[in-house]
Amino acid sequence: MYKAMAISYNNNAFIVNCGIQKGSRHYNNIPLFSIFKSNTRPTLPEVSLQIDIPKTMKNTVAKLIDVFVDSFFEFIDKPLLPSKSNFAPVEELEEAIVVTCIHGRIPNDFPEGVYIRNGPNPLFGGLKSTNSIFGRSSHIWVEGEGMLHALYFKKSNHGSWTVLYNNKHVETETYKLEKQRNKPLFLPAIEGNSLAILSAYLFNWLRSGKVNKYISNTNVFEHSGKFYSVAESHMPQEIDIFSLKTLNNWELSAAWNRPFTSHPKKAPITGELVTLGVEPIKPFAVVGIISADGKKLVHKVDIKLNRCSLCHDIGVTQRYNVIMDFPLTIDLNRLLRGGQLIKYDRKEYARIGVMPRYGNANSIKWFEVEPNCTFHIINSFEDGDEVVVRGCRSLDSLIPEPDPSSKEFEWLSRCHEWRLNMLTGEVKEKDLCGNKLVYMDFPMINENFVGVKHRYAYTQVVDPTSSTTQDVPKYRGIAKLYLEETCAEFSMSKREKEEPIRMEYHMFEKNTFCNGAAFVPRDGGVEEDDGLIITFVHNEDTNTSQVHIIDTKNFSGETVAKIEIPFRVPYGFHGAFMPISFQDSY
């Protein structure tokens, strides 16, 4: 889910990436706009091209287009400031390596499995910008090809641990095209003037059949025992969790020819997977439900939005799907008129839709809420007549730059709660932080409580000073949110209109930042917060990377284990822990 932005595409979709960055920069993959529909019948000239023009002539035309692009588009490496050095790409390992330097002790009740995190790792030395007769366009740092970073935890019969680390690019179709050429193929098409961006779309399509890259760099999820890498530009890519090898695109059926949200949710009780596909032409948003065995699309419905809202996440409860429709929109007509492709308008409406699991557009109950940008939902659940939605909400545009009249840090997210009464239509909103100046994002919970009432959540805590002065989001720690407890420090204050919830922090040392944190339930754990937080951590002073394990029952105490990674791990996006057995597989 930011001030970070990148666009990716398939033949059907044009998509933005979610991360956070100030100053019309970064996001975590949100579909932007469809240009070429795969189910569109070819025009007569296209049929003629396929049938009448000899293959040699087509090859000649392709070479001429290459010569034109090589002659009139100049690729320029984008330099990184020293403060952004850990966003630089790293080399792919040939094979997994054993990690031997561990400070502290991995708990005995830590489960066997894989901690895996996705993130951008651009090819050919880093991100590019281009100059041409059409103007200038450039990549954004989150636009790099996806790379998986995985730490494997295998326990012996005697209770000792073997830990291995591996990384590997997600080999999408467009990744393979560029690797074969051994040089950049796709012109950057996110920042720049409209003519340069439109020409980039055109020449990318003429040269590859794709408008832009399938970056697959945002999240990793599991469904029915299979593991997938995903960004909202395309269908997910199935991966071999042991080798990190990319297998195939997850082709559900010909009926689902859309992008796929980076945050699909498993429905409570049934285990079905609920997803959302957003595009900038009608239908703007389609909800899909996939069977628990992952083999069948059992429900698909156009929810009939009248604009392309950047819906990065979708929520579920036991009976409902939850849709966020906020005034951060994508409009191809704006781009064609020379305006912004993505724009936030605080004067426009914002609403949350509650849709029966197998409902349609007419069955959605919409609730008007205060205008905001919310990329990440913490959780949603039913509580009597109310549907409760909690998320990380900002009050200003995530893209483009914040309004100059906005208050400082309004673009950063805070934890928020909406209570939606299904009988009366009443909305109750609450800032869970109260007046406490704490900003956070990338929420996580115990996955066993997705869609049901919960007491705890965890988030990455923003360092606002580093994020503002360096134009990039950096997270100095992790917060534990006690959602049913108020903060005693503030509860006696009569000036406090809303009592903030209790929050506990685990902060890292100076110039040390985390990313990709995930909650790991303990083996044999009973209580909701009986688990551990695992996260990648990077020290910018020493330029070293570690993985930290934090006890959620002793949250502000000492780190349980610090695992030294012998290679630098760049900052990335979402992480997950996958419990698996290694007996026959690794």
Coordinates of all heavy atoms in Angstrom, one line a residue, residues 8 35 41 43 56 142 157 161 197 249 290 374 441 446 459 495 524 563:
S8 N 3.0 -0.3 -13.6 CA 3.3 -1.6 -14.3 C 2.0 -1.9 -15.1 O 1.0 -1.3 -14.9 CB 3.4 -2.7 -13.3 OG 4.4 -2.3 -12.4
I35 N -5.2 -0.2 -21.7 CA -5.1 0.4 -23.0 C -5.5 -0.7 -24.1 O -6.2 -0.4 -25.0 CB -3.7 0.9 -23.3 CG1 -3.4 2.1 -22.3 CG2 -3.5 1.3 -24.7 CD1 -2.0 2.6 -22.5
R41 N -11.6 -7.6 -30.5 CA -11.4 -8.2 -31.8 C -10.4 -7.4 -32.5 O -10.4 -6.1 -32.5 CB -12.7 -8.3 -32.5 CG -13.7 -9.2 -31.9 CD -14.9 -9.3 -32.8 NE -14.6 -9.8 -34.1 CZ -15.5 -9.9 -35.1 NH1 -16.7 -9.4 -34.9 NH2 -15.2 -10.3 -36.2
T43 N -8.5 -5.3 -35.4 CA -9.0 -4.5 -36.5 C -8.5 -5.1 -37.8 O -7.7 -5.9 -37.9 CB -8.5 -3.0 -36.4 OG1 -7.1 -3.1 -36.5 CG2 -8.9 -2.4 -35.1
T56 N 9.5 -12.0 -42.8 CA 10.8 -11.2 -42.9 C 10.5 -9.7 -42.9 O 11.3 -9.0 -42.3 CB 11.4 -11.6 -44.2 OG1 10.5 -11.4 -45.3 CG2 11.9 -13.0 -44.2
V142 N 10.3 2.2 -6.8 CA 9.5 1.0 -6.6 C 9.2 0.2 -7.8 O 8.5 -0.8 -7.8 CB 8.2 1.3 -5.8 CG1 8.5 1.8 -4.4 CG2 7.4 2.3 -6.6
N157 N 15.9 -33.0 14.9 CA 15.3 -33.8 15.9 C 15.8 -33.5 17.3 O 15.2 -33.7 18.3 CB 15.5 -35.3 15.6 CG 14.7 -35.7 14.4 OD1 13.7 -35.1 14.0 ND2 15.2 -36.7 13.7
W161 N 18.8 -25.5 15.2 CA 18.3 -24.9 14.0 C 19.3 -24.8 12.9 O 20.5 -24.5 13.1 CB 17.8 -23.5 14.3 CG 16.5 -23.4 15.1 CD1 16.4 -23.3 16.5 CD2 15.2 -23.5 14.7 NE1 15.1 -23.3 16.9 CE2 14.3 -23.4 15.8 CE3 14.6 -23.6 13.4 CZ2 13.0 -23.5 15.7 CZ3 13.2 -23.7 13.3 CH2 12.4 -23.6 14.4
I197 N 5.4 10.2 -21.9 CA 4.8 8.9 -21.3 C 4.0 8.2 -22.3 O 4.1 7.0 -22.4 CB 3.9 9.3 -20.1 CG1 4.8 9.9 -18.9 CG2 3.1 8.1 -19.6 CD1 4.0 10.4 -17.8
N249 N 2.3 -18.2 -14.5 CA 1.2 -17.3 -14.1 C 0.1 -18.1 -13.6 O -0.2 -19.2 -14.2 CB 0.8 -16.4 -15.3 CG 1.9 -15.4 -15.7 OD1 2.8 -15.1 -15.0 ND2 1.8 -15.0 -17.0
I290 N -12.4 -17.0 -5.4 CA -11.8 -18.2 -5.8 C -12.0 -19.3 -4.8 O -11.9 -19.1 -3.6 CB -10.3 -18.0 -6.0 CG1 -10.1 -16.8 -7.1 CG2 -9.5 -19.2 -6.5 CD1 -8.7 -16.2 -7.0
T374 N -6.4 5.6 2.0 CA -6.1 4.4 2.8 C -5.7 3.3 1.9 O -6.5 2.8 1.1 CB -7.3 4.0 3.7 OG1 -7.7 5.0 4.6 CG2 -7.0 2.7 4.4
D441 N 2.4 2.3 9.2 CA 1.8 1.6 8.0 C 2.3 0.2 8.0 O 3.0 -0.3 8.9 CB 2.2 2.4 6.8 CG 1.1 2.2 5.7 OD1 0.4 1.2 5.7 OD2 1.1 3.0 4.7
N446 N -2.4 -11.5 13.5 CA -2.4 -12.9 13.5 C -3.4 -13.4 12.4 O -4.6 -13.1 12.5 CB -2.9 -13.5 14.9 CG -2.8 -15.0 15.0 OD1 -3.0 -15.7 14.0 ND2 -2.6 -15.4 16.2
T459 N 2.2 -2.8 13.5 CA 2.5 -1.9 12.4 C 4.0 -1.5 12.4 O 4.7 -1.6 13.5 CB 1.7 -0.6 12.4 OG1 2.0 0.1 13.6 CG2 0.2 -0.9 12.4
R495 N -8.9 17.1 28.2 CA -8.7 17.7 26.9 C -8.8 16.7 25.8 O -9.0 17.1 24.6 CB -7.4 18.5 26.9 CG -7.4 19.7 27.8 CD -6.1 20.4 27.7 NE -5.0 19.6 28.2 CZ -3.7 19.9 28.1 NH1 -3.3 21.1 27.7 NH2 -2.8 19.0 28.5
G524 N 1.9 -24.3 19.2 CA 1.2 -24.5 20.4 C 0.6 -23.3 21.1 O 0.0 -23.4 22.2
I563 N 19.8 -12.3 13.4 CA 20.4 -13.2 12.4 C 21.1 -12.3 11.4 O 20.5 -11.5 10.7 CB 19.3 -14.1 11.8 CG1 18.6 -14.8 12.8 CG2 20.0 -15.0 10.8 CD1 17.3 -15.5 12.3

